[in-house]
Amino acid sequence: RFPLPELSTRRHAVVRSLATLDRDSSVALLRSLGVKGSEADLAAAAQACGWHAKAVELLGVWLARWHDGAAGAYRLLPLPPRDADAADEERLVAGVLAALRTALSAEANDIVALATAFRQPPGEAALLDFLASAPVRHLLHDVKRRSYPAFSDRPPGWLKQQLDELVQLRLLERVGRTTDPAEGETQVIDAHPLVRRGFEDSLGPDPMAARAKAGFLRGRPDRRPPATLADARDEVELFHAYCDARLWTEADDTFAALDNPKHRLLAPAFERDLLLRFFPEGDWRRPPLWSGFGRWRSLAICHEMLGLFEEALALYRPADAPLRGDALLALGRLQPLLDQPHVGPPWQSLWQAYRAHALARAGRRDEALALVRRTVPVDIYEWVHVFECLWLLGRLDLLDVRSLLWQAPHTEDHRFARLARRRLRADWLSWVGPHTAADRRLDLDVEYRDLIEQYDLAGLPWERARCRVGFSRWLRTQGRHEEAAVLARAAADLCRRHGMAAVEPPA
């Protein structure tokens, strides 16, 4: 049910849309839920739902629970709401949901709305804690003025019984997902997307509902900096809750606590999607929703890493103009780097690395060699371009590989840096051969394949193409020309799709 633009243009992919239920399946589904009546009545009931599987299921539950299973009672359904933006299936499901909402108690309506307010389905224990929490009590009884007793004042097990009932009514679902092997299988409470939409206005548009969720998540005693994307689930939920509540400063602080996931976790698409929450409808070309937004550089780098180089160039603010070198080099626009010998602090060293790379690409070999020999890289971003310069010049013998691989004691590189050092080391070894016992133990075939896999998973087109080019060159030295040609074609295809200048190995 989601668009797949990257797959839809690929020759080897077939995209199939999910169809609605057929007549016989719809009738069988209603009968399985306890609905009684003639074949014609059952078919007419299903047709009133547009044959949509979830709508037919919910209709069957409604008829069985509140109308003694009489199929003809479908005629009591409220008319579907008129919404020009809603698809027909969404309107028909909304009609069934409206009937269910009318039949449910006020408490049950609020529980469904609260349970479906999470972007990522919560675990059952966490959801029960949330429903009984002080922020939810404040929301429901101080803000929304609910007259029923507070959830936290109910008898033990009452909330669990309510969840069981809503699962039986097919509004909520217990979904098992495998996590850490030590933990075994855990369950989350999820709901169909159309059910989520059908209950999202139960608590009204007031951002207080998001504030209640944020208050609960912020107060968890087990909060710690996430080490993986899976660990970041709760922090991301908290970030979105702050955005929904329009608490932009708090959202920005939560984002900062994720500590640069585009490089640390090699997740630029993940970080970009978070940053786009600060813009109306996720459109960075429009003024941000928060006047204090200042993470243009991070947003530009995310686009750059994802191969959206034109957008990255448009995103860089004037103060960050010296950081545009990666996008300019990828697009083959060398002139700005060739025309400007120096930039101001703190980017002088990075600019020299960019410029040496650009000079080598432009064929100005003597200038490139002179510049790269007096450039002292200080981080992996500079080392990448110093390496590219020497690689293009055919002078990797000049590379100080011990300095490239050196790491300060008691420190740990982030994932982008670790992969970059591995890639540069593999290219260096494929060029100059092993120097140490560790070099001789490294299987370059295995190493390159793993690097390609890692970069493909992260979606970094420049690194994906560049790694294939390095692997292709090494395969040719091993006499494996057919495999090398396949990799070279894949690299060329990546370059074409992302508008990158050709990444070709030196002769």
Side-chain angles (χ1 to χ4, degrees), residues 295-470:
R295 300 193 180 276
W296 295 99
R297 181 194 303 171
S298 291
L299 188 55
I301 294 172
C302 288
H303 282 79
E304 202 169 58
M305 293 175 73
L306 292 169
L308 303 169
F309 302 110
E310 296 287 359
E311 294 184 29
L313 291 174
L315 277 162
Y316 276 117
R317 304 295 94 175
D320 294 326
L323 296 173
R324 298 175 303 153
D326 288 280
L328 293 171
L329 284 160
L331 293 171
R333 297 179 190 171
L334 308 179
Q335 209 57 46
L337 297 162
L338 301 177
D339 290 346
Q340 189 172 352
H342 304 285
V343 298
W347 310 119
Q348 305 98 315
S349 181
L350 178 61
W351 187 260
Q352 296 308 303
Y354 283 151
R355 194 160 185 274
H357 185 175
L359 287 166
R361 283 202 169 277
R364 291 161 60 171
R365 298 177 60 87
D366 292 342
E367 294 175 77
L369 187 58
L371 178 56
V372 79
R373 279 184 148 172
R374 62 175 183 265
T375 299
V376 181
V378 297
D379 59 31
I380 190 58
Y381 311 107
E382 295 169 17
W383 272 113
V384 164
H385 294 285
V386 165
F387 186 97
E388 293 300 315
C389 174
L390 294 171
W391 187 76
L392 290 167
L393 296 175
R395 294 304 309 272
L396 282 180
D397 57 298
L398 298 177
L399 183 73
D400 183 0
V401 73
R402 286 181 297 179
S403 295
L404 165 64
L405 300 177
W406 183 82
Q407 186 175 338
H410 312 299
T411 62
E412 184 177 354
D413 276 336
H414 52 63
R415 193 171 170 208
F416 178 86
R418 290 197 302 271
L419 283 178
R421 293 185 200 281
R422 284 177 57 192
R423 180 178 68 79
L424 299 184
R425 182 190 180 204
D427 280 347
W428 179 75
L429 288 173
S430 73
W431 192 286
V432 302
H435 281 220
T436 68
D439 294 340
R440 285 188 286 275
R441 286 195 299 269
L442 183 66
D443 186 334
L444 285 180
D445 195 312
V446 173
E447 182 73 351
Y448 271 122
R449 291 181 191 281
D450 184 61
L451 287 166
I452 288 173
E453 174 73 7
Q454 297 300 320
Y455 283 130
D456 283 355
L457 288 172
L460 309 184
W462 191 87
E463 286 80 2
R464 293 170 67 193
R466 180 61 184 78
C467 202
R468 282 170 167 82
V469 164

Side-chain angles (χ1 to χ4, degrees), residues 4 15-16 127 138 143 181 214 227 251 258 295 376 398 411 414 453 501:
L4 300 165
V15 179
R16 300 188 187 278
L127 177 59
H138 172 70
V143 178
L258 291 171
R295 300 193 180 276
V376 181
L398 298 177
T411 62
H414 52 63
E453 174 73 7

Side-chain angles (χ1 to χ4, degrees), residues 50-78:
W51 312 102
H52 186 276
K54 189 62 183 179
V56 172
E57 179 186 48
L58 292 173
L59 174 64
V61 168
W62 180 71
L63 292 172
R65 180 64 60 92
W66 284 282
H67 295 280
D68 198 30
Y74 80 88
R75 298 179 181 87
L76 300 176
L77 284 174

Side-chain angles (χ1 to χ4, degrees), residues 198-383:
F199 281 83
E200 64 187 359
D201 64 341
S202 291
L203 297 173
D206 196 314
M208 286 301 296
R211 292 187 181 218
K213 185 171 63 170
F216 168 73
L217 292 168
R218 187 183 59 243
R220 289 175 296 112
D222 59 340
R223 285 183 67 194
R224 59 177 62 88
T228 66
L229 285 176
D231 293 342
R233 284 170 58 97
D234 289 344
E235 293 303 307
V236 171
E237 196 72 53
L238 177 59
F239 169 84
H240 285 298
Y242 279 136
C243 291
D244 293 339
R246 305 184 194 106
L247 298 172
W248 300 111
T249 302
E250 291 83 351
D252 189 67
D253 290 343
T254 304
F255 172 83
L258 291 171
D259 192 17
N260 200 9
K262 63 180 174 292
H263 288 132
R264 188 170 63 87
L265 304 177
L266 208 62
F270 166 78
E271 183 168 326
R272 179 193 59 174
D273 290 347
L274 296 183
L275 290 170
L276 290 179
R277 278 304 312 266
F278 290 98
F279 295 86
E281 299 176 9
D283 185 356
W284 58 264
R285 296 171 181 82
R286 298 166 63 181
L289 296 164
W290 176 43
S291 60
F293 180 77
R295 300 193 180 276
W296 295 99
R297 181 194 303 171
S298 291
L299 188 55
I301 294 172
C302 288
H303 282 79
E304 202 169 58
M305 293 175 73
L306 292 169
L308 303 169
F309 302 110
E310 296 287 359
E311 294 184 29
L313 291 174
L315 277 162
Y316 276 117
R317 304 295 94 175
D320 294 326
L323 296 173
R324 298 175 303 153
D326 288 280
L328 293 171
L329 284 160
L331 293 171
R333 297 179 190 171
L334 308 179
Q335 209 57 46
L337 297 162
L338 301 177
D339 290 346
Q340 189 172 352
H342 304 285
V343 298
W347 310 119
Q348 305 98 315
S349 181
L350 178 61
W351 187 260
Q352 296 308 303
Y354 283 151
R355 194 160 185 274
H357 185 175
L359 287 166
R361 283 202 169 277
R364 291 161 60 171
R365 298 177 60 87
D366 292 342
E367 294 175 77
L369 187 58
L371 178 56
V372 79
R373 279 184 148 172
R374 62 175 183 265
T375 299
V376 181
V378 297
D379 59 31
I380 190 58
Y381 311 107
E382 295 169 17
W383 272 113

Side-chain angles (χ1 to χ4, degrees), residues 98-250:
L100 280 165
R101 286 177 58 173
T102 301
L104 290 172
S105 67
E107 296 99 314
N109 272 285
D110 286 341
I111 288 172
V112 176
L114 291 164
T116 56
F118 290 82
R119 288 182 172 247
Q120 293 293 327
E124 185 165 344
L127 177 59
L128 292 171
D129 288 344
F130 172 59
L131 294 171
S133 67
V136 166
R137 182 180 185 128
H138 172 70
L139 169 69
L140 295 178
H141 299 284
D142 299 336
V143 178
K144 300 299 179 182
R145 303 295 181 186
R146 298 294 195 253
S147 58
Y148 56 73
F151 296 154
S152 54
D153 294 340
R154 302 294 183 124
W158 181 85
L159 271 174
K160 176 72 163 53
Q161 292 172 0
Q162 296 300 303
L163 281 186
D164 292 342
E165 175 78 6
L166 292 168
V167 169
Q168 291 173 14
L169 293 174
R170 312 299 177 95
L171 290 167
L172 300 179
E173 305 168 28
R174 285 189 175 94
V175 181
R177 62 180 176 85
T178 302
T179 54
D180 190 297
E183 298 178 13
E185 187 178 82
T186 61
Q187 284 193 323
V188 296
I189 301 296
D190 203 356
H192 190 281
L194 293 177
V195 173
R196 287 175 173 269
R197 287 181 217 164
F199 281 83
E200 64 187 359
D201 64 341
S202 291
L203 297 173
D206 196 314
M208 286 301 296
R211 292 187 181 218
K213 185 171 63 170
F216 168 73
L217 292 168
R218 187 183 59 243
R220 289 175 296 112
D222 59 340
R223 285 183 67 194
R224 59 177 62 88
T228 66
L229 285 176
D231 293 342
R233 284 170 58 97
D234 289 344
E235 293 303 307
V236 171
E237 196 72 53
L238 177 59
F239 169 84
H240 285 298
Y242 279 136
C243 291
D244 293 339
R246 305 184 194 106
L247 298 172
W248 300 111
T249 302
E250 291 83 351

